[in-house]
Amino acid sequence: MGALEDDRGGSCELWPDHLVGRAPDSALRLDDGSVSWRHASLRWTGRGWELQDLGSLNGTYLNGQRVEVGARVLLRVGARLRFGEETCEWHMVDADPPQAAAVALDDGTRIKPHDGLIVLPSGDEPELSIYRQADGNWIAEAADRVWELERDEIVLAGTRRFRFEPGAAVYATSASLHHLATPAAVALEFVVSRNKEQVDLTIVHNGKRTSLRPRAHSYLLLTLARLRVEDQGRAELPASSHGWIEQARLLKMLATTPAQLALDIYRARRQFSDAGVVDSAQLVERRASSRELRLGVDAISVQVA
């Protein structure tokens, strides 16, 4: 993501709309009398980062030249920035798009995705999961609700409130993903004991086999896998319809609660991420409008041993 470094060794990651000034809500807060309260902004436009002077008294400087008030100037890596009469100069060291984040309203902490998944309030207390779907929309999953998130929407997790920033929409091409172990690219092999007490699971990708340790959530994945395999045998069903099940029906099948289901899905995604599966949030797919979910892997085998 975009980033600045100053000549004193400081650094600053850029938010999608990054205020510079002395105001308390400034993303880059500068404690210098020559810097205006709301001095300048750096904003991601979709094509790059733009610098704008917001009517500062002592000016904003790009590569030694004063920026005209209100003008929007495209920045590139290596650009040198100075605000007011500060002797410190900031250098643009990264011009990549901004990342998605959940910003805590109480202290400004920014929680960024880990392998595409934002977990709130923390990984130790996974009450809410946020991730981007293949269509570019962001989904929020809680024990009692699944919905599409909007930019700047406020969500509650635990006792804390967070504002959601979607960052920039960056889509990988199929050519760039073909060699990666994504849920859509791997195969899963399930081996179930005859008494159904143990489920062994192996990830297969490009000839490499990765065995996962049995976990409580393995039976959830097995149940979703069987539903998808069953639908694959129905010639009248298109592939896009394979494996979907309403959450209420799944809860009855597993004899579990919404809270436990949400926790099991989170733990399964984390286990796959730890095993090297990229974009593991897509391991379990959601339809927010119909409260349906399915296993996001198409190549599946199930054996009883």
Side-chain angles (χ1 to χ4, degrees):
M1 63 184 302
L4 303 177
E5 289 183 359
D6 66 21
D7 48 20
R8 299 171 185 167
S11 63
C12 176
E13 291 184 349
L14 296 180
W15 304 359
D17 196 346
H18 203 95
L19 176 65
V20 180
R22 290 188 293 114
D25 61 341
S26 298
L28 177 54
R29 190 176 182 186
L30 301 175
D31 188 18
D32 186 295
S34 70
V35 175
S36 297
W37 195 250
R38 301 177 68 84
H39 194 103
S41 71
L42 295 101
R43 182 178 293 109
W44 176 258
T45 67
R47 65 189 183 97
W49 290 95
E50 281 187 350
L51 170 69
Q52 182 181 27
D53 184 278
L54 299 179
S56 68
L57 180 62
N58 294 302
T60 300
Y61 295 84
L62 171 61
N63 298 328
Q65 300 296 315
R66 185 162 181 165
V67 176
E68 183 180 345
V69 173
R72 300 177 184 272
V73 184
L74 187 65
L75 299 178
R76 293 180 172 82
V77 171
R80 296 178 287 109
L81 309 177
R82 185 164 57 84
F83 306 98
E85 297 173 2
E86 262 208 324
T87 57
C88 178
E89 195 169 59
W90 292 85
H91 305 261
M92 188 159 214
V93 295
D94 191 328
D96 286 347
Q99 277 189 307
V103 184
L105 298 188
D106 52 3
D107 61 6
T109 300
R110 298 175 64 80
I111 300 179
K112 293 178 286 189
H114 174 68
D115 194 22
L117 193 66
I118 299 174
V119 183
L120 303 175
S122 69
D124 296 329
E125 301 175 275
E127 295 192 13
L128 182 68
S129 296
I130 298 173
Y131 62 93
R132 189 198 298 272
Q133 294 191 118
D135 61 8
N137 293 322
W138 285 88
I139 289 288
E141 290 182 8
D144 59 348
R145 185 185 174 199
V146 179
W147 72 100
E148 288 190 5
L149 273 179
E150 301 291 337
R151 177 185 296 272
D152 294 326
E153 184 172 339
I154 305 299
V155 297
L156 179 67
T159 60
R160 304 182 70 187
R161 298 170 71 231
F162 298 84
R163 177 173 52 82
F164 173 64
E165 293 180 357
V170 180
Y171 302 98
T173 65
S174 58
S176 67
L177 289 176
H178 80 280
H179 66 289
L180 298 178
T182 64
V186 304
L188 297 183
E189 295 179 355
F190 293 86
V191 178
V192 188
S193 63
R194 291 192 179 278
N195 60 11
K196 301 181 181 180
E197 290 185 355
Q198 181 166 322
V199 178
D200 294 321
L201 177 55
T202 301
I203 302 171
V204 184
H205 181 253
N206 287 346
K208 179 183 177 181
R209 302 173 62 83
T210 303
S211 297
L212 303 183
R213 295 183 63 183
R215 291 286 187 266
H217 57 254
S218 299
Y219 193 74
L220 161 66
L221 298 180
L222 172 65
T223 302
L224 293 175
R226 282 174 163 162
L227 289 167
R228 185 146 187 170
V229 170
E230 180 181 344
D231 282 351
Q232 288 170 351
R234 300 168 63 183
E236 72 277 12
L237 276 183
S240 60
S241 298
H242 291 169
W244 291 104
I245 182 173
E246 291 183 354
Q247 179 168 305
R249 182 184 164 207
L250 181 63
L251 292 173
K252 290 182 179 179
M253 291 175 65
L254 298 174
T256 191
T257 65
Q260 186 60 50
L261 177 63
L263 183 60
D264 285 345
I265 291 174
Y266 165 70
R267 287 174 173 169
R269 286 168 171 160
R270 188 172 67 178
Q271 186 184 34
F272 271 63
S273 176
D274 291 342
V277 175
V278 179
D279 198 17
S280 63
Q282 303 303 319
L283 176 65
V284 177
E285 299 176 323
R286 288 279 196 177
R287 283 175 174 167
S289 57
S290 59
R291 298 276 290 174
E292 292 180 312
L293 64 161
R294 73 169 178 177
L295 187 67
V297 179
D298 182 63
I300 303 163
S301 70
V302 180
Q303 299 179 4
V304 177

